[in-house]
Amino acid sequence: MSASPETTLLSRYQRLSDQPDEMFAANGQVRTTWQYLADALDALGVDNLRQRHTQARRLLRERGVTYNVYGDPQGQERSWDLDPIPVLIGSDEWAQVEGALQRRAELFNLILKDIYGPQELLQRGLLPAEVIYGHGGFLRPCHPYDPDLAHPLTIYAADLARTDNGRLHVVGDRTQSPSGAGYALENRVVMSRAMPSLYRESHVHRLALFFQNLRASLAALAPNRGQDEPSVVVLTPGPLNETYFEHSFLASYLGYTLVEGGDLTVRDGRVWLRSMGRLEPVDVILRRLDDDYCDALELRGDSLLGVPGLTEAARRGNVALANPLGAGVLENPALHAFLPGVAQHFLGRELDLPTLPTWWCGDPDSLDHVLAHLDELVVKPIGPGSGPATLFGSAMDASARDALAQRIRRAPHRFAAQQQARFSSVPTLGEQGLEPRAATLRTFLVGRPDGYAVMPGGLTRIAPAPGELNASNQAGGVSKDTWVVASEPVREVSLMSTEGGMDTPMDRSAALPPAATENLFWMARYAERAEHGLRLLRVIQRLQRTAQDYRDPLDQQCLQTLLMALSRVTDTRPGFLAGDPALLADPMPELRSVLRDPGRVGTVAFNLQAMLAASHAVRDRLSQDTWRVIGNIRTRLADGGDGDPGPELDDAITLLAALRGLQDDTMVHSQAWSFLELGRCIERGLLTSSLLRATMSTALDPRLESRVLEAVLSHLESVNAYRRQHHQVAQARPVLDLVLLHERNPRSVGYQLARLKAALQALNSGAHDSGLSTEERLVLEAHTALQLSDADRLTRADAASGHRPALDQLLARNGRLLDRTARRLAESYFSDPRGPRQLTAANTDLQETS
């Protein structure tokens, strides 16, 4: 049953009178393209729409879609927000937009080739020299480009908005390393799942073909054109970058290796990927790093993010970059003032998609116009580092405009101004129902041998509140999915198994950068630390209840022993080791701190945060199911309460167990997985040895020791195994057999050492040296010592002190050897042991002259 007109969503939608609306025509009627969606929204109603919005947010959170707003008090990873109402564009209108975008991309490609080539535009006066040479994006070391490249501007993006005259205008061009394509794809995946029937019946054009074209174009850039499978990497600034999620998502979706600058090196004029102690050649770099940060040698000396020597390697033609270094010069807003003349010169026609009227302040007449109309203009510095990127004159008072005018007069050639326009609004789900929000659409194109291919639709961003104009994500803007709709079903196209990408990342074991190996290794180690802390806290909580219920002094002594062990195993010293009677009498404040204090090293919260940070850096290697569990762990950590530990212990332990199981079940057991296994076994061996040393190195009263050993077995999930083998109370010798020596108990030290031996053998199986590696020798020494141990001798105690010297020495030695193994792995795989190397081949023909 349809809702009455009085209760429909659309009947309460208050359009803005001073700007056009995408859903409604000027006469108040719903546009034909939007009619099906409008009927569907009315049928849904606001409550159902909010439920779909909640579902979309849950899907985004589970998929780990984030965006980093710099300086955001909410923290590094803000969840990506998606409005549940898509933006619709008809196929007929899109066909016209698509052709206009292709011509604009071709024009910018020609401008780029000219600026880093013959520079006819400068010689003919079609572009002022100050606009190019005065812009920080023009990189002199990159001149000239290879003239044989048909499309050096491989990826191009344009920001579009409809103004009050009803026409689409270009409000910005992105040519350096355009972001947003991955977010557009994630929006599509989530919308297709949150509103499956609406998506299916709207006949929406698919996005996967664009990514097929992107992958083909990147392969075609490889210097060795005859190579079947060129090596392509995605260069990211790292996990702190605002769009790092997109970098890792695209790397996984396209099947490329995600690298940071430190993972690459230049040798003899070529770029190489450091992978598992060897160097592998790199042919193409899809960079998500700003131009000048890419090379500390020639471009920006203080950059720690790029690859020293990259400019020289690109200059020699030994590596291709998308986009090439120096492409950022095209993002100069002053170029818009000269595009009409440039378009006539190169294309012999005007651009179909006009740019908003623009004035470059370096021209005296334009300067006079800008200064006289500051309250009507948007002022933009032509290059980065000149202040805020966008200044709205209408939002300033008289004194602020005067100050801006003075800044412009001091260096007029550094500023451009654009006519401020009211952008069209789109219906958005707000607190009271549907609200109009100003919107911009970022479209994406990729260069092919026959021209530019356009993504159907793109990434729509809307202002955070009605009446606001700035729709950027850094300003709090929200995203929307953009549907180009056809009148009939469209053909299914997919790059992988689904349009949303792979549920399991591709195995890129042949290319495993040091940053990835280190983060996988530490992700596993921090997960083990958190789980051991949680399990020990759970055992202590149960002992507390028993001690309170039965008032048995032995229970209290057992509890104190476990509290001391907690401080030792988690290394949250001094903790209970201080021997404070008040703390032992009321341990809850310290237990809450060990569980929930993220700022204290060794606590569960600290270890979980560190694990999440490491997983964030290798998210391209984790499956969607794995990332869903990680998202739940992040939510649990954020929702930690102030009360006594309770069911959250069980829930957190279950989530960590699920994480470990999914890693084993969804990752190819290649070298990448091996570093998870190595980290897990080393840390579990260290922690279990520490626990046994804290609880068993000194013999206790038999009755007390039995209870302590029961707690140890419970902590190590070995109670049932012990009871099946030994129909007696817990005793030291059989307990050691099970949790120290037994190599088939997944919780024992012996099991960890056996697994470590196997993992290291597999890791080093391809090495040319047939001998054992240093880390293999260390683990073999620890494993042999354990195998040669005699359980009776280990449990033998000094009659006077009760100390078990053989057990204590063995456990201490195992700890030292495991720690040395971890350090050796770091030296071998997490850093370049050869240190700095010469960037180019030395000239041996030089002779000394006097």
Side-chain angles (χ1 to χ4, degrees):
M1 180 182 295
S2 61
S4 65
E6 292 76 20
T7 60
T8 63
L9 277 170
L10 298 184
S11 65
R12 299 195 299 271
Y13 179 54
Q14 300 295 320
R15 303 188 305 278
L16 299 177
S17 58
D18 57 346
Q19 65 188 88
D21 191 273
E22 292 292 316
M23 178 182 276
F24 288 91
N27 61 6
Q29 297 298 312
V30 175
R31 301 182 193 273
T32 304
T33 302
W34 288 74
Q35 188 62 60
Y36 179 77
L37 175 62
D39 294 340
L41 292 176
D42 272 342
L44 275 173
V46 68
D47 291 338
N48 283 331
L49 192 57
R50 291 194 193 284
Q51 291 177 6
R52 304 298 176 93
H53 191 200
T54 300
Q55 182 183 1
R57 284 178 167 173
R58 178 182 58 79
L59 289 169
L60 289 167
R61 185 176 63 252
E62 289 178 349
R63 295 174 66 84
V65 187
T66 56
Y67 184 88
N68 181 21
V69 178
Y70 297 135
D72 184 12
Q74 297 183 31
Q76 175 186 334
E77 295 180 316
R78 175 187 286 189
S79 294
W80 182 255
D81 201 358
L82 171 64
D83 185 77
I85 304 172
V87 175
L88 271 55
I89 305 175
S91 288
D92 293 340
E93 181 183 13
W94 183 252
Q96 299 176 11
V97 173
E98 187 175 42
L101 286 170
Q102 289 168 330
R103 286 183 285 275
R104 188 178 184 90
E106 288 286 2
L107 176 62
F108 272 77
N109 183 65
L110 292 171
I111 295 173
L112 185 64
K113 292 178 69 174
D114 180 75
I115 289 174
Y116 289 97
Q119 298 189 332
E120 290 183 7
L121 295 175
L122 295 173
Q123 295 172 18
R124 293 172 178 265
L126 292 171
L127 286 178
E130 300 95 322
V131 171
I132 302 303
Y133 298 142
H135 188 268
F138 178 73
L139 303 181
R140 288 168 176 80
C142 299
H143 185 280
Y145 281 173
D146 181 357
D148 295 333
L149 284 177
H151 293 95
L153 186 63
T154 308
I155 306 169
Y156 167 76
D159 291 333
L160 309 180
R162 198 184 305 276
T163 60
D164 49 12
N165 63 7
R167 293 190 65 186
L168 283 172
H169 286 72
V170 176
V171 297
D173 301 278
R174 297 291 176 264
T175 59
Q176 189 168 198
S177 54
S179 63
Y183 286 107
L185 184 56
E186 271 293 350
N187 284 351
R188 176 61 52 82
V189 173
V190 171
M191 285 295 293
S192 67
R193 296 178 182 178
M195 294 186 170
S197 59
L198 178 61
Y199 170 75
R200 184 175 55 254
E201 295 167 10
S202 294
H203 310 319
V204 183
H205 286 273
R206 304 298 197 259
L207 304 182
L209 183 59
F210 172 81
F211 293 97
Q212 286 183 357
N213 287 323
L214 174 60
R215 196 160 61 177
S217 296
L218 293 175
L221 290 176
N224 184 2
R225 301 302 197 278
Q227 189 171 318
D228 293 333
E229 290 292 336
S231 173
V232 184
V233 299
V234 179
L235 176 60
T236 173
L240 296 181
N241 183 261
E242 59 184 349
T243 58
Y244 179 76
F245 162 78
E246 183 179 52
H247 308 170
S248 60
F249 173 73
L250 287 178
S252 178
Y253 184 65
L254 297 171
Y256 299 150
T257 301
L258 183 68
V259 300
E260 299 179 27
D263 298 325
L264 303 178
T265 186
V266 174
R267 302 282 188 268
D268 299 326
R270 284 211 64 177
V271 178
W272 301 83
L273 170 63
R274 290 165 41 209
S275 173
M276 300 299 296
R278 62 181 183 273
L279 297 179
E280 299 183 3
V282 173
D283 300 305
V284 182
I285 299 176
L286 173 58
R287 66 180 180 91
R288 301 306 303 270
L289 190 60
D290 288 350
D291 287 333
D292 53 344
Y293 281 95
C294 286
D295 186 354
L297 188 65
E298 294 196 58
L299 302 180
R300 182 168 179 152
D302 62 347
S303 173
L304 300 177
L305 302 176
V307 187
L310 181 60
T311 307
E312 173 64 16
R315 187 186 294 123
R316 293 188 184 191
N318 291 334
V319 67
L321 288 90
N323 284 343
L325 296 175
V329 69
L330 297 182
E331 296 184 358
N332 185 345
L335 280 178
H336 291 178
F338 305 97
L339 282 183
V342 174
Q344 286 291 343
H345 172 72
F346 277 132
L347 305 179
R349 57 177 294 176
E350 295 182 358
L351 289 172
D352 302 292
L353 278 175
T355 304
L356 290 173
T358 304
W359 295 266
W360 174 56
C361 296
D363 173 68
D365 293 337
S366 297
L367 174 62
D368 292 341
H369 176 84
V370 170
L371 295 177
H373 300 84
L374 269 181
D375 59 336
E376 304 171 9
L377 302 175
V378 179
V379 178
K380 300 180 179 181
I382 70 169
S386 303
T390 303
L391 299 165
F392 290 88
S394 61
M396 297 179 174
D397 57 25
S399 62
R401 281 197 293 270
D402 288 342
L404 176 59
Q406 291 299 321
R407 284 182 57 200
I408 295 174
R409 287 192 183 96
R410 284 195 295 268
H413 67 284
R414 295 185 178 275
F415 293 89
Q418 201 170 65
Q419 185 68 50
Q420 183 171 331
R422 301 290 296 181
F423 299 155
S424 63
S425 60
V426 292
T428 303
L429 182 61
E431 293 184 2
Q432 305 302 321
L434 296 188
E435 300 176 349
R437 303 278 182 90
T440 60
L441 167 64
R442 176 165 293 183
T443 57
F444 303 92
L445 296 87
V446 57
R448 305 254 314 144
D450 56 348
Y452 278 88
V454 186
M455 175 189 289
L459 178 66
T460 294
R461 293 170 296 175
I462 57 175
E468 293 191 21
L469 297 178
N470 194 345
S472 73
N473 294 102
Q474 287 291 331
V478 178
S479 69
K480 279 178 172 284
D481 194 12
T482 309
W483 293 1
V484 176
V485 295
S487 57
E488 56 187 23
V490 296
R491 184 172 63 91
E492 288 276 355
V493 180
S494 177
L495 186 66
M496 301 294 183
S497 59
T498 66
E499 187 166 30
M502 298 168 290
D503 282 339
T504 302
M506 296 178 65
D507 175 28
R508 287 182 296 280
S509 57
L512 191 58
T517 59
E518 184 172 12
N519 281 296
L520 288 166
F521 182 75
W522 279 103
M523 177 185 175
R525 292 194 68 176
Y526 280 120
E528 283 297 319
R529 291 180 186 181
E531 185 179 344
H532 267 258
L534 287 164
R535 289 184 180 277
L536 203 47
L537 284 167
R538 184 171 64 178
V539 169
I540 288 171
Q541 185 187 52
R542 292 171 180 171
L543 278 172
Q544 281 182 300
R545 287 199 295 263
T546 302
Q548 291 171 358
D549 291 342
Y550 296 100
R551 307 288 181 178
D552 187 334
L554 284 177
D555 290 329
Q556 189 61 40
Q557 293 177 46
C558 179
L559 177 61
Q560 290 186 6
T561 301
L562 268 293
L563 291 175
M564 299 286 189
L566 176 69
S567 297
R568 287 193 176 97
V569 172
T570 61
D571 204 23
T572 51
R573 300 170 187 265
F576 296 104
L577 296 175
D580 184 355
L583 191 61
L584 292 172
D586 182 16
M588 285 312 303
E590 174 68 9
L591 294 177
R592 282 194 290 266
S593 175
V594 172
L595 176 62
R596 300 193 182 110
D597 187 352
R600 185 180 177 188
V601 176
T603 67
V604 171
F606 178 90
N607 290 324
L608 286 177
Q609 280 192 340
M611 184 207 74
L612 292 173
S615 65
H616 183 65
V618 291
R619 64 190 308 157
D620 61 307
R621 297 179 180 272
L622 305 176
S623 70
Q624 285 296 337
D625 284 335
T626 302
W627 198 255
R628 185 175 294 110
V629 173
I630 290 173
N632 287 333
I633 292 174
R634 180 181 288 106
T635 301
R636 293 276 182 177
L637 185 61
D639 294 342
D642 298 325
D644 293 341
E648 63 183 294
L649 297 176
D650 291 331
D651 293 342
I653 291 170
T654 301
L655 286 172
L656 287 170
L659 177 63
R660 185 172 59 252
L662 283 167
Q663 289 168 349
D664 288 345
D665 196 48
T666 61
M667 287 185 72
V668 176
H669 286 203
S670 60
Q671 290 175 334
W673 177 84
S674 293
F675 281 94
L676 284 172
E677 179 76 350
L678 289 169
R680 181 185 306 147
C681 291
I682 286 175
E683 196 62 37
R684 187 173 289 185
L686 281 168
L687 293 170
T688 303
S689 296
S690 178
L691 175 67
L692 295 178
R693 196 178 180 196
T695 55
M696 297 188 66
S697 61
T698 300
L700 303 173
D701 173 83
R703 292 190 303 159
L704 174 59
E705 184 166 76
S706 175
R707 298 196 186 190
V708 171
L709 294 178
E710 284 277 353
V712 169
L713 291 170
S714 177
H715 168 73
L716 296 175
E717 290 291 344
S718 300
V719 172
N720 291 336
Y722 183 87
R723 288 173 179 168
R724 282 195 297 269
Q725 296 179 39
H726 309 282
H727 302 286
Q728 59 188 15
V729 296
Q731 296 180 354
R733 188 190 187 287
V735 167
L736 283 180
D737 276 333
L738 182 60
V739 299
L740 178 64
L741 306 177
H742 202 308
E743 294 190 7
R744 293 191 179 183
N745 177 12
R747 293 282 168 178
S748 75
V749 177
Y751 180 89
Q752 312 314 319
L753 292 173
R755 292 290 291 265
L756 276 173
K757 279 180 59 179
L760 288 171
Q761 287 173 0
L763 193 64
N764 298 318
S765 61
H768 297 295
D769 186 359
S770 58
L772 295 177
S773 65
T774 302
E775 50 268 26
E776 285 180 290
R777 293 178 186 275
L778 292 169
V779 172
L780 178 61
E781 182 181 348
H783 192 212
T784 302
L786 202 67
Q787 289 180 316
L788 295 176
S789 298
D790 178 71
D792 289 328
R793 179 171 175 270
L794 292 176
T795 56
R796 193 173 301 137
D798 180 79
S801 65
H803 183 60
R804 291 175 172 140
L807 176 62
D808 189 59
Q809 292 169 11
L810 176 67
L811 293 172
R813 183 185 183 189
N814 274 349
R816 289 194 300 270
L817 290 171
L818 287 171
D819 185 64
R820 288 174 59 190
T821 301
R823 294 175 185 273
R824 178 58 190 171
L825 284 169
E827 293 171 0
S828 299
Y829 298 106
F830 305 159
S831 60
D832 190 347
R834 295 169 297 180
R837 308 290 285 184
Q838 189 165 306
L839 294 171
T840 58
N843 188 345
T844 57
D845 297 328
L846 291 178
Q847 296 181 357
E848 184 177 332
T849 59
S850 59

